[in-house]
Amino acid sequence: MGRIASVAALATLAACALASAARAGTVGKLTGLVLDAKKQPLAGANVILVGVPLGAASGIDGRYTILNIPAGTYSVKVSLIGYNPTTIQNLAIPADRTTTQDVTLAETAIEMKEVVVSAKRPIVELGLTSNVATITRDQITTLPVQELSDIVQLQAGVVESNGDAHFRGGRAGEVQYQVDGISVNNPFDNKSSVRLDRSVLEEVQVISGTFDAEYGQAMSSVVNSVLRRGTEKFTSSGEVYGGDYFYPGGSRPVDYERRPGSLQNYQLTVSGPTPLPRTVYLLSGRYGRTNSPYEGQKRLVVFDRTNPDTPVVRPAPVETEPIGYTHEWLGLGKLSFRLRPGMDLSYSAVLNGIETRRDGTNEWGFRYDLDGLPTQRTYSAVHGFEWTHTLDPKTFYRVSVRQNYFDYRDMVYDDANDPRYDLDMTPPLTNPNILNGATLWGVTDNRFAQNTNALVFAGSISRQFKSHSLKGGFDWEPTHVTFGHPGWLQWDGNTLHFRRYFDDPALGFPAPAMYKPVIGSAYVQDELEWNDLRLRAGLRFEYFNPKTLVPSDPKNPNNDIPGAPEAPPVPATRKMTLAPRIGVSYPVGPRSSLFFAYGHFYQMPQLSQMFANADYSLAGQIQASSGKDYGTFGNPDVNPERTFQYQMGYKQQLSDFLGLDLTVFYKDIRGLLGSEIITTYTDAQYKRLNNGDFGNVIGSTIVFDQRGPGIVSTSIDYTWQIAKGNSSDPYETAGRVDAGEDPRPRNQYFDWDQRHTLNVSVTLFRPGSFNVSGVFRAQSGQPYTPPSQFLIETNSGRKPNSFLMDLRSEKTLGRVSRALTAFATVNNLFDTRFWNGFVFPNSGSPFYSSTGTVDRATLANPTRYFGPRRIVIGLRWEPRSS
């Protein structure tokens, strides 16, 4: 009955989406009243967006509504015969939001000059029912940030831990990343498949906690990036900068030698009309280089194998280079064609290529053998078509098809048969008494590749009624995911060569495997606007089909135990869920409101965990006496993880330039991916992933925003939260079993539990003259587990508190009115060495160990610290402001 009800719900939702049926994430709505000097409504006033073929006329009640407005900043002109025309400049229209702008027209009997008014963004948006941070292109330009990830980490409730971002206490990978309203998550690891530079961003929205039914496959947050679009007139902009690291000698184990050019960036954007009528384009390209501040040697020794029987070892020429580096290019292309008013067709493509060699603790060990390190190469492409059709002034729909492609390779040489693998004669060789245990020679034999190729079909419709707006939509995502080892290398000490294996599962060397799951969803969302009351309610249907086989009886996983009941493999079950969501905003005064939101949020675990080691035929006949460890088996038949979220808050406009936003939240997290112990019919045991983990998060955020008067703007946000659960990692329980510890559930602090987080941003900005901005961040320590000869609670210790400061300054040059700007950015101004990273378990400090002799290699490793101070200077040019 449950499955029949779910299928019926899907059919109903799809019918709503297709029959009456926009995609979220790229357009907003403008509404308001046109009034006379006596505050009486004016009917028949024309309201148009300057430079965009969008507009409306006010009704008998003076209200106007314009739908389907691409996110951005506009001028709005209001005119009516007998009244002075009025233009509102610099009006920001965020995506997925209703912007209210009332206009008062002055009556006149003679022709007068147009009245021009500069719009001001409301310091607090009282009608929101969730926490939404909207960062516009103008704001991004002034901040000391370079990539989307830098912007996200400045938002309230975001915690960094081991290179991952955790939103409101959730695990990594619980965020839906979107580009122009369509998911760009790679289901392999639930992370974004593209890295976006600030130059391509028109607007960024970060929705924390609860969110509407149009967003899915996320339990903690949604990050939507609206990309820049083409213009009616030719424009160009660009940026170039260069820089280096600067830190005092002695502050880190290795002094830095100046290498100008370690940090480079080149970016160019052009847009304008094409020779085709009603068609505009945008092209943007970026290339960047980032070298590690630490250097190493390509080789310490070389082997002369002229005589294979007696190879000769001799010192290698001293050739130094950065231990790690990142070379990255990013391309954006958009082509928009207006067939006729209300009918638009567009094509967009985001292409991203990255070549990286990491510079972590393991790579520092190879500082005398850099040629033995692997490189990581990533290529991704997100591209597709979108059709938008406005049926009438109150209804429009959108359909789109997009390909999300991602390819990743992590290996020394692309070809497993490359003879250079054998030149070093051994795998990595170390001696703890030589060079602090550095690798002396050898090559890394690990080889890994991952490829995702997904098509995303999406459609949606929006209909504006008198007091509410209705949305419906769907998406369907057939996905091909391939991952594994394209060639295994195993050292043969007799022949002094690597043996190669390409597809020998019986020996434990399987070839990369392809999986073809299907992901789908449908939703309906309604927003009621009655006087000042806002009510948002929605229902989302989620679908997942693993399309693979799983054991029918875990006690006989390979169906080969004599005497046991027959247990042939069976198809993994389809997963279907319904997620209701509701939010209410109610004014308690002309400048204040209360809001409440509640919702169910579901997400499938990472495919890399579900499908890894999921070939149960490799196990053979599991016997209690064999003692063989098969690792933790994957489980394609796990259920979606789920979170029930509650939040409520208070918003207050304290003055015309100061606003307050206070939120308290609670998350009940169930069905997280964890590990279980299965006992077979032969009393043997093996480990398998299941939905056994759980957690809960309680917290609050308080945000103060100040904009003006004058040139100073300030934003301060503080987050307090507690994040606890039975394990921080799906494999943690399995690790306890291997260590002989008690695997039963417990309630402990998550690894990323951070009690206090403070972000402060200050900007001094004078248009056409200068800009100076600073971002200060402070945080309390995350937990760690101290060593003890007695049983000690996991994560019972606390790392030290830490802080970080970044600066950016800009100066407009000459009399070219913002066309040319010189800038400088300083990241990590005070050369902070610790930012909730590594600590010695025996001391709780990143700076010293109570067993210095034992830990001498780690003490000499500079990569355990946070990255040193970086300074870049550059030039940016952009179109003149009108």
Side-chain angles (χ1 to χ4, degrees):
M1 287 295 294
R3 179 172 296 182
I4 294 174
S6 297
V7 172
L10 173 60
T12 302
L13 290 171
C16 292
L18 292 172
S20 62
R23 197 177 89 264
T26 61
V27 297
K29 180 174 72 173
L30 175 63
T31 188
L33 296 173
V34 181
L35 307 170
D36 63 15
K38 298 179 181 180
K39 302 302 180 183
Q40 296 301 308
L42 293 175
N46 292 318
V47 185
I48 63 170
L49 272 66
V50 179
V52 181
L54 292 172
S58 60
I60 193 171
D61 57 355
R63 179 166 296 279
Y64 70 93
T65 300
I66 306 175
L67 304 177
N68 197 25
I69 305 173
T73 302
Y74 297 90
S75 293
V76 179
K77 185 174 182 178
V78 183
S79 59
L80 180 64
I81 295 176
Y83 293 83
N84 292 336
T86 299
T87 297
I88 311 295
Q89 293 183 336
N90 301 318
L91 181 63
I93 308 291
D96 281 347
R97 301 257 278 282
T98 298
T99 300
T100 301
Q101 180 65 57
D102 295 339
V103 183
T104 300
L105 299 183
E107 189 173 3
T108 180
I110 59 175
E111 183 177 353
M112 296 184 64
K113 291 185 177 180
E114 180 179 336
V115 178
V116 178
V117 180
S118 182
K120 292 184 179 180
R121 287 180 57 200
I123 194 68
V124 174
E125 297 191 56
L126 301 178
L128 295 181
T129 61
S130 59
N131 295 109
V132 182
T134 300
I135 306 94
T136 65
R137 181 151 61 104
D138 289 340
Q139 293 173 295
I140 294 170
T141 300
T142 64
L143 292 172
V145 296
Q146 187 60 44
E147 296 183 350
L148 173 64
S149 60
D150 301 329
I151 300 170
V152 170
Q153 288 166 2
L154 297 179
Q155 308 310 310
V158 179
V159 169
E160 299 174 65
S161 180
N162 296 322
D164 292 318
H166 300 264
F167 292 71
R168 290 197 175 177
R171 282 181 175 177
E174 294 185 358
V175 181
Q176 174 75 229
Y177 287 94
Q178 298 186 342
V179 169
D180 287 343
I182 293 290
S183 171
V184 292
N185 273 25
N186 181 358
F188 175 78
D189 56 7
N190 283 343
K191 295 182 180 179
S192 177
S193 60
V194 293
R195 247 164 58 171
L196 296 177
D197 178 73
R198 55 185 270 161
S199 61
V200 302
L201 299 173
E202 179 67 36
E203 177 184 286
V204 175
Q205 283 190 336
V206 181
I207 309 174
S208 301
T210 59
F211 35 86
D212 289 343
E214 54 196 306
Y215 303 108
Q217 283 299 315
M219 297 197 300
S220 292
S221 181
V222 175
V223 177
N224 179 36
S225 301
V226 180
L227 303 184
R228 296 174 62 179
R229 59 185 182 277
T231 55
E232 298 289 343
K233 297 180 180 180
F234 177 80
T235 62
S236 67
S237 62
E239 181 178 275
V240 57
Y241 71 67
D244 204 351
Y245 301 91
F246 294 86
Y247 61 89
S251 65
R252 297 168 187 265
V254 177
D255 290 337
Y256 179 62
E257 298 181 5
R258 301 282 179 261
R259 293 194 308 273
S262 293
L263 310 170
Q264 300 179 42
N265 183 77
Y266 309 91
Q267 185 272 324
L268 177 66
T269 299
V270 295
S271 67
T274 71
L276 299 175
R278 303 181 301 281
T279 306
V280 296
Y281 73 92
L282 180 138
L283 295 174
S284 182
R286 177 204 174 226
Y287 175 75
R289 295 173 63 95
T290 303
N291 290 335
S292 165
Y294 310 114
E295 283 196 335
Q297 190 171 325
K298 297 185 69 172
R299 285 179 178 270
L300 184 66
V301 298
V302 295
F303 293 89
D304 184 352
R305 304 190 65 180
T306 305
N307 185 346
D309 296 327
T310 57
V312 177
V313 180
R314 55 183 173 83
V318 178
E319 299 178 81
T320 62
E321 63 183 23
I323 290 178
Y325 60 83
T326 297
H327 300 166
E328 179 179 5
W329 60 266
L330 173 69
L332 166 65
K334 275 193 169 185
L335 187 66
S336 302
F337 174 48
R338 171 151 290 189
L339 283 77
R340 64 181 188 182
M343 299 178 65
D344 297 275
L345 177 66
S346 65
Y347 172 80
S348 64
V350 180
L351 309 177
N352 194 199
I354 306 172
E355 180 180 328
T356 299
R357 187 168 68 198
R358 302 187 185 100
D359 61 351
T361 299
N362 179 67
E363 287 73 24
W364 174 254
F366 276 78
R367 61 192 178 276
Y368 294 102
D369 184 32
L370 297 181
D371 282 352
L373 281 174
T375 55
Q376 297 77 43
R377 298 180 180 88
T378 303
Y379 171 74
S380 58
V382 176
H383 71 110
F385 292 91
E386 178 179 272
W387 168 262
T388 304
H389 185 193
T390 301
L391 300 175
D392 57 56
K394 295 184 178 181
T395 310
F396 70 96
Y397 71 88
R398 291 179 142 179
V399 291
S400 65
V401 57
R402 178 182 286 181
Q403 180 189 26
N404 291 344
Y405 180 85
F406 181 87
D407 187 78
Y408 173 81
R409 300 177 69 82
D410 184 354
M411 57 196 68
V412 179
Y413 306 114
D414 285 341
D415 187 354
N417 289 313
D418 195 308
R420 289 174 292 180
Y421 271 118
D422 300 302
L423 291 180
D424 280 336
M425 295 183 57
T426 67
L429 178 67
T430 63
N431 187 320
N433 298 315
I434 301 177
L435 299 174
N436 278 331
T439 298
L440 304 177
W441 64 75
V443 63
T444 304
D445 56 10
N446 184 58
R447 297 170 51 81
F448 179 78
Q450 193 271 311
N451 181 276
T452 299
N453 192 3
L455 287 177
V456 183
F457 302 92
S460 58
I461 189 167
S462 180
R463 171 71 177 177
Q464 178 69 41
F465 297 93
K466 182 176 181 180
S467 60
H468 67 100
S469 58
L470 182 67
K471 285 185 180 180
F474 72 95
D475 66 74
W476 188 256
E477 186 177 345
T479 303
H480 291 183
V481 175
T482 304
F483 66 96
H485 299 268
W488 299 74
L489 304 178
Q490 189 174 52
W491 181 250
D492 187 334
N494 295 321
T495 63
L496 301 182
H497 283 82
F498 282 105
R499 291 182 180 271
R500 271 75 168 177
Y501 301 91
F502 293 93
D503 191 11
D504 294 286
L507 299 178
F509 304 114
M514 176 182 287
Y515 303 92
K516 301 178 181 180
V518 175
I519 305 168
S521 68
Y523 70 88
V524 288
Q525 177 77 38
D526 189 25
E527 179 180 9
L528 172 66
E529 301 176 11
W530 183 63
N531 294 330
D532 293 323
L533 174 69
R534 297 286 180 89
L535 172 65
R536 301 175 70 93
L539 183 66
R540 183 175 183 87
F541 174 85
E542 303 263 15
Y543 172 88
F544 179 80
N545 185 357
K547 298 186 70 175
T548 190
L549 299 177
V550 294
S552 58
D553 186 353
K555 294 183 178 181
N556 186 11
N558 196 37
N559 193 29
D560 61 355
I561 296 179
E566 282 293 312
V570 295
T573 58
R574 298 176 176 88
K575 308 301 186 295
M576 291 177 279
T577 58
L578 284 174
R581 298 167 194 180
I582 188 171
V584 180
S585 174
Y586 182 75
V588 293
R591 291 189 168 191
S592 59
S593 68
L594 293 171
F595 71 91
F596 168 80
Y598 167 78
H600 294 196
F601 303 88
Y602 295 89
Q603 182 178 16
M604 291 305 301
Q606 303 173 21
L607 300 188
S608 61
Q609 298 167 339
M610 294 172 55
F611 290 104
N613 194 29
D615 185 356
Y616 288 80
S617 66
L618 301 179
Q621 182 173 318
I622 299 178
Q623 298 289 346
S625 60
S626 68
K628 185 175 180 179
D629 184 10
Y630 295 93
T632 302
F633 281 94
N635 185 0
D637 207 27
V638 294
N639 292 314
E641 300 171 318
R642 61 190 185 275
T643 295
F644 307 123
Q645 295 197 51
Y646 311 78
Q647 71 174 22
M648 62 182 300
Y650 174 75
K651 300 175 185 288
Q652 171 76 57
Q653 183 176 337
L654 301 174
S655 69
D656 290 340
F657 56 86
L658 183 62
L660 165 69
D661 189 332
L662 173 65
T663 303
V664 294
F665 58 88
Y666 177 75
K667 298 171 65 173
D668 183 12
I669 310 168
R670 301 298 177 94
L672 287 175
L673 200 62
S675 306
E676 64 177 342
I677 311 302
I678 303 294
T679 302
T680 70
Y681 290 110
T682 60
D683 288 329
Q685 290 186 335
Y686 69 95
K687 303 178 290 291
R688 185 182 75 162
L689 294 179
N690 73 339
N691 291 103
D693 283 0
F694 58 86
N696 61 80
V697 183
I698 186 171
S700 64
T701 63
I702 183 169
V703 180
F704 286 97
D705 275 321
Q706 173 263 324
R707 289 199 296 269
I711 65 173
V712 180
S713 297
T714 307
S715 177
I716 302 174
D717 67 72
Y718 166 76
T719 302
W720 174 91
Q721 69 177 20
I722 298 176
K724 301 183 74 173
N726 72 306
S727 65
S728 300
D729 182 89
Y731 301 97
E732 188 172 318
T733 300
R736 293 175 193 156
V737 173
D738 294 339
E741 300 175 359
D742 185 355
R744 289 178 297 180
R746 61 189 72 181
N747 195 27
Q748 64 194 29
Y749 294 114
F750 285 140
D751 291 347
W752 53 88
D753 174 61
Q754 188 169 289
R755 193 71 68 249
H756 309 285
T757 306
L758 175 68
N759 297 317
V760 180
S761 300
V762 180
T763 301
L764 284 75
F765 176 57
R766 177 163 291 161
S769 180
F770 69 88
N771 167 74
V772 178
S773 64
V775 175
F776 175 82
R777 294 186 282 168
Q779 58 188 19
S780 59
Q782 296 171 7
Y784 75 97
T785 305
S788 175
Q789 58 182 344
F790 307 105
L791 185 62
I792 191 169
E793 184 179 353
T794 301
N795 283 344
S796 59
R798 284 285 165 175
K799 299 177 182 180
N801 302 333
S802 53
F803 70 91
L804 200 61
M805 181 77 181
D806 298 329
L807 285 179
R808 182 180 177 90
S809 62
E810 299 182 347
K811 183 68 177 77
T812 301
L813 302 179
R815 300 180 179 178
V816 289
S817 183
R818 294 180 60 191
L820 186 62
T821 302
F823 66 88
T825 301
V826 183
N827 296 109
N828 193 5
L829 175 66
F830 299 111
D831 193 36
T832 296
R833 292 180 291 167
F834 177 73
W835 183 247
N836 255 331
F838 169 85
V839 297
F840 290 96
N842 55 40
S843 68
S845 169
F847 306 114
Y848 69 91
S849 167
S850 62
T851 55
T853 302
V854 175
D855 292 325
R856 67 180 186 275
T858 305
L859 287 166
N861 185 348
T863 64
R864 75 180 192 274
Y865 289 137
F866 187 72
R869 181 190 300 114
R870 308 193 320 171
I871 301 178
V872 301
I873 57 175
L875 290 173
R876 186 181 75 252
W877 69 94
E878 57 188 354
R880 299 184 183 185
S881 59
S882 56

Short mmCIF file of all heavy atoms in Angstrom, two decimals, residues 633-656:
data_model
loop_
_atom_site.label_atom_id
_atom_site.label_comp_id
_atom_site.label_asym_id
_atom_site.label_seq_id
_atom_site.Cartn_x
_atom_site.Cartn_y
_atom_site.Cartn_z
N PHE A 633 31.62 -4.09 3.35
CA PHE A 633 30.92 -4.20 2.07
C PHE A 633 29.99 -2.99 1.87
O PHE A 633 29.34 -2.52 2.80
CB PHE A 633 30.11 -5.49 2.00
CG PHE A 633 30.93 -6.70 1.71
CD1 PHE A 633 31.43 -7.49 2.74
CD2 PHE A 633 31.22 -7.06 0.41
CE1 PHE A 633 32.20 -8.62 2.48
CE2 PHE A 633 31.98 -8.19 0.13
CZ PHE A 633 32.48 -8.97 1.17
N GLY A 634 29.92 -2.54 0.63
CA GLY A 634 28.93 -1.54 0.28
C GLY A 634 27.54 -2.14 0.28
O GLY A 634 27.36 -3.36 0.37
N ASN A 635 26.55 -1.28 0.14
CA ASN A 635 25.17 -1.76 0.18
C ASN A 635 24.29 -0.85 -0.69
O ASN A 635 23.81 0.18 -0.23
CB ASN A 635 24.66 -1.76 1.63
CG ASN A 635 23.27 -2.35 1.75
OD1 ASN A 635 22.67 -2.77 0.76
ND2 ASN A 635 22.75 -2.38 2.97
N PRO A 636 24.09 -1.22 -1.95
CA PRO A 636 23.25 -0.40 -2.84
C PRO A 636 21.78 -0.35 -2.43
O PRO A 636 21.02 0.43 -3.02
CB PRO A 636 23.40 -1.09 -4.20
CG PRO A 636 24.65 -1.91 -4.10
CD PRO A 636 24.72 -2.34 -2.67
N ASP A 637 21.40 -1.16 -1.42
CA ASP A 637 20.00 -1.22 -1.04
C ASP A 637 19.71 -0.40 0.23
O ASP A 637 18.66 -0.59 0.85
CB ASP A 637 19.58 -2.67 -0.81
CG ASP A 637 18.09 -2.89 -1.05
OD1 ASP A 637 17.50 -2.13 -1.84
OD2 ASP A 637 17.53 -3.82 -0.45
N VAL A 638 20.60 0.50 0.61
CA VAL A 638 20.32 1.33 1.79
C VAL A 638 19.21 2.33 1.45
O VAL A 638 18.95 2.65 0.28
CB VAL A 638 21.58 2.09 2.26
CG1 VAL A 638 22.62 1.12 2.78
CG2 VAL A 638 22.14 2.96 1.15
N ASN A 639 18.57 2.82 2.49
CA ASN A 639 17.49 3.79 2.33
C ASN A 639 18.03 5.22 2.32
O ASN A 639 19.19 5.45 2.69
CB ASN A 639 16.48 3.63 3.47
CG ASN A 639 15.72 2.32 3.40
OD1 ASN A 639 15.25 1.94 2.34
ND2 ASN A 639 15.63 1.63 4.53
N PRO A 640 17.23 6.17 1.93
CA PRO A 640 17.68 7.57 2.00
C PRO A 640 17.94 7.97 3.46
O PRO A 640 17.22 7.55 4.38
CB PRO A 640 16.51 8.37 1.42
CG PRO A 640 15.70 7.38 0.66
CD PRO A 640 15.88 6.07 1.34
N GLU A 641 18.96 8.77 3.66
CA GLU A 641 19.16 9.41 4.95
C GLU A 641 18.09 10.49 5.12
O GLU A 641 17.61 11.05 4.13
CB GLU A 641 20.55 10.02 5.03
CG GLU A 641 21.66 8.98 4.87
CD GLU A 641 23.03 9.61 4.72
OE1 GLU A 641 23.15 10.61 4.00
OE2 GLU A 641 23.99 9.08 5.32
N ARG A 642 17.73 10.81 6.37
CA ARG A 642 16.63 11.76 6.56
C ARG A 642 16.92 12.68 7.75
O ARG A 642 17.57 12.28 8.72
CB ARG A 642 15.31 11.03 6.76
CG ARG A 642 15.25 10.12 7.97
CD ARG A 642 13.99 9.26 7.96
NE ARG A 642 13.84 8.45 9.16
CZ ARG A 642 14.39 7.26 9.35
NH1 ARG A 642 15.13 6.72 8.39
NH2 ARG A 642 14.19 6.59 10.48
N THR A 643 16.42 13.88 7.62
CA THR A 643 16.55 14.89 8.68
C THR A 643 15.22 15.59 8.85
O THR A 643 14.60 16.00 7.86
CB THR A 643 17.64 15.92 8.32
OG1 THR A 643 18.91 15.27 8.27
CG2 THR A 643 17.70 17.02 9.37
N PHE A 644 14.78 15.72 10.09
CA PHE A 644 13.59 16.52 10.42
C PHE A 644 14.10 17.81 11.05
O PHE A 644 14.78 17.77 12.08
CB PHE A 644 12.67 15.76 11.37
CG PHE A 644 12.30 14.38 10.88
CD1 PHE A 644 12.56 13.27 11.64
CD2 PHE A 644 11.71 14.21 9.64
CE1 PHE A 644 12.24 12.00 11.19
CE2 PHE A 644 11.37 12.95 9.17
CZ PHE A 644 11.64 11.84 9.95
N GLN A 645 13.76 18.93 10.43
CA GLN A 645 14.31 20.20 10.89
C GLN A 645 13.20 21.13 11.38
O GLN A 645 12.12 21.20 10.79
CB GLN A 645 15.06 20.90 9.75
CG GLN A 645 16.29 20.16 9.28
CD GLN A 645 17.21 21.05 8.48
OE1 GLN A 645 17.57 22.14 8.91
NE2 GLN A 645 17.59 20.59 7.30
N TYR A 646 13.52 21.84 12.46
CA TYR A 646 12.64 22.85 13.02
C TYR A 646 13.47 24.13 13.18
O TYR A 646 14.62 24.08 13.63
CB TYR A 646 12.12 22.45 14.40
CG TYR A 646 11.55 21.05 14.50
CD1 TYR A 646 12.39 19.93 14.59
CD2 TYR A 646 10.17 20.85 14.55
CE1 TYR A 646 11.87 18.66 14.71
CE2 TYR A 646 9.64 19.57 14.67
CZ TYR A 646 10.50 18.48 14.75
OH TYR A 646 9.98 17.22 14.87
N GLN A 647 12.90 25.25 12.84
CA GLN A 647 13.57 26.50 13.13
C GLN A 647 12.54 27.61 13.31
O GLN A 647 11.46 27.59 12.72
CB GLN A 647 14.57 26.87 12.04
CG GLN A 647 14.00 27.30 10.71
CD GLN A 647 15.10 27.79 9.77
OE1 GLN A 647 16.27 27.47 9.91
NE2 GLN A 647 14.72 28.58 8.80
N MET A 648 12.87 28.55 14.15
CA MET A 648 12.02 29.72 14.35
C MET A 648 12.94 30.91 14.60
O MET A 648 14.10 30.74 15.02
CB MET A 648 11.05 29.52 15.51
CG MET A 648 11.68 29.30 16.86
SD MET A 648 10.45 29.03 18.15
CE MET A 648 9.52 30.56 18.05
N GLY A 649 12.42 32.11 14.31
CA GLY A 649 13.28 33.26 14.45
C GLY A 649 12.52 34.56 14.53
O GLY A 649 11.28 34.61 14.40
N TYR A 650 13.29 35.60 14.72
CA TYR A 650 12.75 36.94 14.87
C TYR A 650 13.60 37.89 14.03
O TYR A 650 14.84 37.86 14.10
CB TYR A 650 12.78 37.36 16.34
CG TYR A 650 12.36 38.79 16.59
CD1 TYR A 650 11.03 39.17 16.53
CD2 TYR A 650 13.32 39.76 16.91
CE1 TYR A 650 10.65 40.48 16.76
CE2 TYR A 650 12.95 41.07 17.17
CZ TYR A 650 11.61 41.43 17.09
OH TYR A 650 11.24 42.72 17.32
N LYS A 651 12.95 38.73 13.23
CA LYS A 651 13.63 39.72 12.41
C LYS A 651 13.17 41.11 12.83
O LYS A 651 11.98 41.33 13.05
CB LYS A 651 13.34 39.51 10.92
CG LYS A 651 13.78 38.15 10.36
CD LYS A 651 13.33 38.00 8.91
CE LYS A 651 13.65 36.62 8.37
NZ LYS A 651 15.07 36.42 8.14
N GLN A 652 14.12 42.02 12.93
CA GLN A 652 13.80 43.37 13.38
C GLN A 652 14.64 44.38 12.62
O GLN A 652 15.88 44.26 12.57
CB GLN A 652 14.07 43.51 14.88
CG GLN A 652 13.99 44.92 15.42
CD GLN A 652 12.56 45.41 15.59
OE1 GLN A 652 11.77 44.78 16.29
NE2 GLN A 652 12.22 46.51 14.96
N GLN A 653 13.99 45.35 12.00
CA GLN A 653 14.70 46.48 11.42
C GLN A 653 14.85 47.52 12.53
O GLN A 653 13.93 48.26 12.86
CB GLN A 653 13.94 47.07 10.23
CG GLN A 653 14.68 48.21 9.55
CD GLN A 653 13.96 48.72 8.31
OE1 GLN A 653 13.16 48.01 7.72
NE2 GLN A 653 14.26 49.95 7.92
N LEU A 654 16.05 47.56 13.12
CA LEU A 654 16.28 48.42 14.27
C LEU A 654 16.28 49.89 13.89
O LEU A 654 15.91 50.75 14.69
CB LEU A 654 17.59 48.03 14.94
CG LEU A 654 17.68 46.57 15.43
CD1 LEU A 654 19.07 46.27 15.95
CD2 LEU A 654 16.64 46.30 16.50
N SER A 655 16.74 50.19 12.68
CA SER A 655 16.72 51.55 12.16
C SER A 655 16.77 51.46 10.64
O SER A 655 16.73 50.36 10.08
CB SER A 655 17.91 52.36 12.70
OG SER A 655 19.13 51.88 12.14
N ASP A 656 16.85 52.59 9.98
CA ASP A 656 16.90 52.57 8.52
C ASP A 656 18.18 51.91 8.00
O ASP A 656 18.23 51.51 6.84
CB ASP A 656 16.82 54.00 7.98
CG ASP A 656 15.43 54.62 8.18
OD1 ASP A 656 14.48 53.83 8.37
OD2 ASP A 656 15.33 55.86 8.16
#
